[in-house]
Amino acid sequence: MVPELGVRVKKVVRGRVLRGLYRLDLRSPLDPDLVVHGAYWNRGVACNPAAIHAKALELVPRLRHVWVVGSRHVGRVPRGVEYVVAGSRAYWRVMATAKYLVNNSSFPGGFSKRDGQVYLQTHHGTPLKSMGLDQRRYPASARGMDFGKVLAHVRQWDFSLAANPHAAEVWGRVYPAGYEHLHLGQPRNDRYFTATSDDIAAVRASLGIAPGSRVLLYAPTHRDEGVSRFSPPLDLERFVRETGDEYVLLVRAHYFHGASAGITDTHPRIVDVTAHPRVEDLCLASDALITDYSSLLFDYACLDRPIVVHAPDWEAYRATRGTYFDLLSGRPGDTPGAVSTSDDELIGLFRDGGWDTDAGGRLREAFRARFCPYDDGHAAERVVRRLFLDERPPRTTDPGPDPSPGWTG
């Protein structure tokens, strides 16, 4: 037998055996204290599920928490955190018997949610680009997607976490099912309200940032062209060379590109922070954010620090992916601050101070009011009390109308 064929046969046989054992486990009683978490397609302990886990340890200590992690990402799991490898025997066992399931994306392998299990979909950002069923209009972004499987997954949700009214409106339309929207905020954003000046100083020191530096976090999103290597739409070295010695540029590549931005042996004021475990700490360490279409810009607005949208390919991106509003319009609520569409414009903003103006502050205030209405440092507590203790939130979070001017795809 050809070696490669033998490996494939073994995988098929092993998969069938595990699924058979899983079906047997489905007959076992549910464990009322077991919670299974996942994030970013099994990439480790992160995002809203991690914040919910941490708060649940404090408020509901009887719960046992297990994380689903891909075999390539086991090294990212913090010491003391229990985990199972995706697709393993242990994985199928906990998926069959856990009372609670919490994820910001999806669990692998096509599991079948049982009666009595409770599934919270936290999502991992506010939608700017088209998502879910809306992607059917954009073949480039929907390449390889099985919308039947998407809907089958959505029908298993009991709760969908809403970061803001806009997100709830979009999720309800593009992921139609009978789940309940939880207008409780983003637990991962609690860090922005609870961090102290000492915490921020410690993060900056850990990154080797000299006192007095102005720190810019550059975090572009990925594109849908299938390019695996990080290739930012910005000449990084030219930017730091021409903006002045006071600026340090932290570069955070999207996790789809792996653990590195691939920018070693470059300018000393460019720091690759792609492998840093907490993007929230990178935001806290920075004085401003430069991004394009990343959902990080919605979270960063909580900090009330300057946001610069650098989008040289906006028209192409909007045409191929679709967006829910015009990020570059300059309208209050749509645009979070200064905008550039070329390297020259971006460099000019940091040379002449246009990145941090009163007008930009007013735009940021309107943007924060629209997209961060529930974030106050207590989102994780509200979610924990609602999910695990069946308590209503301690205060009313009226979703109100979505002030969006409408879809502009």
Side-chain angles (χ1 to χ4, degrees), residues 18-19 22 25 87-96 108-111:
L18 290 176
R19 291 305 298 265
Y22 172 61
D25 286 333
S88 67
R89 172 74 181 106
Y91 165 74
W92 288 112
R93 185 181 295 115
V94 297
M95 291 302 294
F111 77 97

Side-chain angles (χ1 to χ4, degrees), residues 130-139 141-142 145 147 151:
S130 64
M131 300 291 291
L133 295 185
D134 280 349
Q135 288 180 257
R136 293 176 298 179
R137 310 181 194 189
Y138 301 95
S141 72
M145 289 184 67
F147 290 101
L151 292 177

Side-chain angles (χ1 to χ4, degrees), residues 136 239 247 255 326 335 341 366 397:
R136 293 176 298 179
F239 177 81
Y247 293 110
Y255 56 82
D326 188 348
T335 305
T341 57
T397 49

Side-chain angles (χ1 to χ4, degrees), residues 140-141 147 151 169 215 267 294 303 348 370 380:
S141 72
F147 290 101
L151 292 177
E169 186 277 326
V215 181
H267 198 285
S294 170
L303 290 170
R370 179 181 177 188

Side-chain angles (χ1 to χ4, degrees), residues 218 230-243 249 251 263 266-267 270 290 310 312 342-344 346-347:
Y218 178 52
F230 178 61
S231 181
L234 171 64
D235 185 331
L236 303 176
E237 291 197 40
R238 181 191 171 201
F239 177 81
V240 295
R241 188 174 61 249
E242 296 188 16
T243 52
L249 189 67
V251 179
I263 52 173
T266 186
H267 198 285
I270 300 175
I290 304 171
H310 178 60
S342 69
D343 287 11
D344 288 343
L346 184 64
I347 291 168

Side-chain angles (χ1 to χ4, degrees), residues 14 78 109 194 234 266 351-352 398:
R14 181 175 182 273
T194 60
L234 171 64
T266 186
R351 277 179 167 174
D352 64 19
D398 180 10

